[in-house]
Each structure stands twice: as C-alpha cells, then as structure tokens.
Amino acid sequence: MTAPAQLTAAVGRRRAYWHTGVCLAVLLGALWLARRHWTTVRTGAGRLVVADQGWLLLGAVAATGTWVASALAQQGAVERRLPGRRLVAAQFAACAANHLLPAGLGAGAVNLRFLMRCGLPATRSASALAVKATAGAVVRLALIAVLAPAWPGLLRLPHLSLSALVSALGLAVLLMAVLAGPLRPRCRRAGAAVLADVRSVHACPTRAAALWGGSLAFAALHALVLIAVTHAVALPLPPLRVALLYLAASSAAALLPTPGGLGSLDAALALALTASGSPGATAASAVLGYRLLTVWLPLVPGLLVLAALVRRKSL
C-alpha cells in the first residue's frame, strides 16, 4: 500500500472511531433518559396502541411518499435521466441503510453507488448528493423562517454557559484551521464542482422544479407524518405548530451523527412537544408513532430491497 493510501486509510479509521464514539455516547444517553422516564414511555406506548387508526394510516401513506419525494429531488440534482423505479427503490433502501450508519453515511453510500451504476463519474455523483443535501437544508431553514413568526418565542435558544460558548468557539476555530490548511485545495475543488452543478440545475427549469419541489415535499411529508400521529393520539396542537416543532427538532438532531437520528431526534422531538405544553406521555406516544412509521416498520423491507439491488448489481 502506498503512503497516500495508508494515510487515507488511517484518516478513515480515525473518522470511523470518532463517529462510533459519538454514536455510542448519544445512544447511551438516550437509553438513560428512557430508563429514567420509563413510566412515561410505557404510558405513551399504551396510548399508541389505542390511537386513531385512520390518522395512523394517513401517516403511513405520508411516510411512503417521502421516498418518492427524495427520488424526485435526486433526479433534479443530476442531468442524466435515471431509471424511475430503481431510483425510488434506491431511496427506500437508502432510508434503511441510513438507520445503520451515522450522520447519513448509509444513505449517502447507497445513493453514491446507485448514481455511479447509472453511469455518472464518482465526482459528479458526490457533487449531485451535495446539491441535493444543500437544497434540503435550505428548504428546512426557509420553512422554519416562514412558520416561526406565527408563534413568537416558541423556538427559544437554550441558555449556554461561558464554558460551552468557549468550547464551541474553539471547535469552530479548529475546523476553520483544518479547512484552510491541508484540506483547502480539496474543499475548493469540491465547492467549485457543487457550484457548477447548482448553476447547471437552475439553467433547466424542469430540473430546478424537481430538486426544490422534491426537497420541499420531503420535509413537508415528514412533518405530515408527525401531524397525523399527534392527531391519532389526540395531542391538542395546531398542525402548523407541530410542523414547526418537527423542522426545528430534526434540524437540531442533524448536528449529532447518530444512525437516522436515533436517540437525538427522539429526544429533540419529545423535548419540543413537551416544551410546547404537551403532556409527557402523549408526547412520548407521538414520538414513538412517528418512529414506528418512518423507521421500524420500513426497516426490514428496506434492507431486503437493498440486498435485492446489490444482487442485481444496481448498487
């Protein structure tokens, strides 16, 4: 193995160890919280059993639609026409893989392999994924900005101690130093490729509509899943308020690289709902219902689809 390859492998191992350590810490924290509030969790699960089945069915339909929306956004991020059925199947498989690896690595790996199998070079495939991720982040922030003024004070920043602020500032400076140092040429090339793809997308109105429409539908459908579950468990919150809480909680949970937001998203959603005045048991049942429809029920079928795509060499 050459020296550059050895260095790359060492960096990859250190990154994997760091991700694993963070994941374990967050998961242990989530288990500790679940143990501490076990009575609330158990009561919430009981409420979910007797929830309104019609609303749960609506939530399941919305969860299914998220894969189609993700496929639409991915198609908008690339110039080449992708096979529609395999594209949707890849999003379904990516959703399952995303709950096994941290920080979206599973979904990214599945989509990267799919795009490369469709004939796109590795660099173009990675750039298309970056364009899609950027559009998704922009859409979420825009929705939060539109909805937040309707409930002033609902999204309050947590009080941070001086030590926490100093630590955050130190991490930011360290990150800037790393990016401005040995990674600067690579980051500049990657950024130039992404900007070129963004310009290419917006030069074609059809692609731009697919990218932004799919990204908007993806976020809205996930919010609709939570809205449907809150109605199913009789949680008395306005739908748009629930949507705002979901967008804020999921954006905050994205900062913690756990598989599929496991633990981080659950805690953020439960905290957001209870801080908005919901009873603890009802908030727990809403979070459990959302996770059931978006994670646990599709997980095994998604892994089977992933295996089938690999067997057919579509990935």
Side-chain angles (χ1 to χ4, degrees):
M1 184 180 292
T2 63
Q6 291 177 343
L7 179 60
T8 301
V11 172
R13 283 194 298 270
R14 287 197 297 269
R15 186 177 299 173
Y17 293 151
W18 183 83
H19 278 309
T20 302
V22 173
C23 288
L24 288 176
V26 175
L27 290 175
L28 288 175
L31 290 175
W32 178 80
L33 287 174
R35 176 64 179 173
R36 183 177 181 183
H37 301 282
W38 178 247
T39 302
T40 301
V41 174
R42 184 175 58 186
T43 305
R47 290 177 63 92
L48 189 61
V49 171
V50 296
D52 189 310
Q53 300 301 309
W55 280 108
L56 291 180
L57 179 59
L58 175 61
V61 172
T64 304
T66 60
W67 310 319
V68 179
S70 180
L72 181 62
Q74 189 63 79
Q75 177 61 78
V78 299
E79 185 175 0
R80 177 172 301 189
R81 183 68 179 176
L82 302 174
R85 292 183 179 179
R86 281 195 293 155
L87 177 58
V88 175
Q91 304 314 303
F92 184 34
C95 180
N98 202 41
H99 294 98
L100 301 178
L101 295 174
L105 293 180
V110 170
N111 279 305
L112 182 65
R113 289 292 300 171
F114 174 75
L115 293 177
M116 292 175 65
R117 286 289 188 181
C118 290
L120 274 73
T123 53
R124 301 294 293 179
S125 300
S127 180
L129 294 181
V131 170
K132 178 187 175 186
T134 302
V138 170
V139 164
R140 285 177 179 270
L141 292 176
L143 288 174
I144 292 174
V146 169
L147 294 175
W151 291 279
L154 180 63
L155 302 182
R156 296 185 298 272
L157 292 175
H159 176 72
L160 298 177
S161 63
L162 180 61
S163 59
L165 291 174
V166 171
S167 300
L169 181 60
L171 288 174
V173 171
L174 179 61
L175 180 61
M176 291 177 62
V178 171
L179 294 179
L183 294 181
R184 183 177 180 179
R186 184 177 298 179
C187 292
R188 178 178 294 179
R189 289 193 298 269
V194 171
L195 288 176
D197 276 359
V198 169
R199 287 193 292 267
S200 174
V201 167
H202 291 88
C204 177
T206 303
R207 288 182 60 194
L211 175 65
W212 293 105
S215 300
L216 176 60
F218 183 82
L221 286 169
H222 266 287
L224 180 58
V225 175
L226 184 60
I227 291 170
V229 174
T230 58
H231 277 78
V233 298
L235 188 60
L237 288 177
L240 291 180
R241 187 171 186 174
V242 174
L244 176 59
L245 293 173
Y246 163 75
L247 292 167
S250 59
S251 299
L255 301 177
L256 294 175
T258 58
L262 184 61
S264 57
L265 179 57
D266 304 272
L269 280 177
L271 179 62
L273 291 173
T274 52
S276 187
S278 305
T282 310
S285 63
V287 174
L288 290 172
Y290 171 79
R291 282 310 217 173
L292 180 68
L293 296 178
T294 58
V295 178
W296 304 119
L297 288 180
L299 183 58
V300 173
L303 293 177
L304 293 176
V305 170
L306 176 60
L309 290 174
V310 172
R311 186 171 60 252
R312 297 177 182 178
K313 296 184 179 181
S314 295
L315 291 179

